[in-house]
Structures are given as structure tokens and as C-alpha cells.
Amino acid sequence: LSKCLAPALRVCLVLPPAGTSSEGFKRSIRANGSLVSPISATLASYWMSTNLADDIIATIRKETRKRQDIFATWLPSVALKDDAFHIRLPLPSELSAMQLVLSLRVTDLGIVPAQVFAPLGAPNAVRIALGSSETLGSFEAALKTLADVMAHPQYPSWMVV
């Protein structure tokens, strides 16, 4: 549930195929010492049984769409996927991914070079986390800086006085 509800909620649900026993799975979990916090399990169960989990997911999707709309305003040529929390941004050859990341270090934009995910033969690209900025205003300000750097790669943002 950490990927869809809350990053710190390290709880998963396992539904074995119909007609099979879950005992083998239970033994494997116990043998590996993989136990979930009872507080986390109770919280997750409560959220699901009261439909609060659905409300949280709907709110996250709504916020994601707002951030995607803002992103599309500043970088309209970039293809966005519905409900995606991250955007892969290909870069022009004159702008390296690391150069872009360093140029944006003064913003609160979550931006990581593609080399982090594919060290060998990674494309010249970055991954942008839509949820990294605390507010929509700070997200838009960071995207404005990103758009400026993309438009003028020869003048990194840290050179502006």
C-alpha cells in the first residue's frame, strides 16, 4: 500500500489463488522474519474497511492531475500518462541530465538523472516527481525555472544574478 496510499505504509495484502492453501506462504513470511507493524496493519485495515482508502486515492489522483496540468502549461510538448506520479523528460543533446539536476538544485523539484535507474546506456533524460514540491505554487515556480533552463541550456539557472 506504500505505492498507492502513503509512502510509510509498508503493508501488503496477499490473496492466494482459489483452491490453494495459504499455509506455505505464511511459513515463508515467518521464516524470513517479514512482519508488519500491528499499528500499520490496523491503520490499513481501517482505511480499507471504511472506504477512507478510496477517498485518499481519489484525492491523490486529483492533486496529480492538477500538477500534470501545471506541467503541461510549462512544457506542453512532453507526453504525460494519466495518473502518473513521475514524468520522464528527454533532454536535448546540449543539456546533460546532471547539468539540469544541478541547475535546479535551488528549487524543491524532485528531479533525478536517468542514470540512477539505468546506469549503463541510460538515455539523456531526467525523472521528475510530481509530488515532490510541497505546494502547487512552489511546484509551478520550479517548473518555470525548468522551462527557462530547457529553453536556454547554455545559461544554467545558477548563473542568473
Side-chain angles (χ1 to χ4, degrees):
L1 299 175
S2 67
K3 293 293 185 181
C4 61
L5 286 176
L9 192 59
R10 302 287 183 190
V11 177
C12 72
L13 303 173
V14 177
L15 182 61
T20 62
S21 169
S22 62
E23 288 307 311
F25 179 77
K26 288 178 186 177
R27 282 193 304 275
S28 296
I29 292 295
R30 285 188 201 109
N32 287 315
S34 299
L35 299 176
V36 67
S37 157
I39 292 173
S40 295
T42 302
L43 181 64
S45 295
Y46 176 76
W47 283 2
M48 290 185 289
S49 67
T50 62
N51 293 327
L52 185 57
D54 292 333
D55 295 342
I56 293 169
I57 291 170
T59 301
I60 291 169
R61 285 184 175 151
K62 184 177 176 183
E63 182 71 12
T64 299
R65 283 197 260 333
K66 286 180 188 176
R67 290 172 183 252
Q68 285 185 339
D69 290 345
I70 293 169
F71 190 94
T73 299
W74 289 101
L75 293 157
S77 64
V78 178
L80 304 175
K81 294 182 180 178
D82 289 345
D83 294 331
F85 299 130
H86 300 94
I87 296 172
R88 183 181 166 273
L89 178 63
L91 301 176
S93 59
E94 63 271 11
L95 180 62
S96 78
M98 190 54 70
Q99 177 186 359
L100 181 61
V101 169
L102 291 173
S103 293
L104 295 170
R105 71 184 182 276
V106 297
T107 71
D108 68 346
L109 189 63
I111 183 168
V112 180
Q115 291 86 348
V116 170
F117 304 102
L120 300 175
N124 187 32
V126 293
R127 186 183 84 164
I128 297 170
L130 294 177
S132 59
S133 299
E134 199 167 315
T135 67
L136 291 177
S138 63
F139 181 65
E140 186 161 19
L143 287 178
K144 181 182 182 309
T145 303
L146 171 61
D148 288 345
V149 172
M150 293 286 293
H152 308 287
Q154 69 277 25
Y155 305 116
S157 63
W158 53 265
M159 291 179 67
V160 178
V161 180

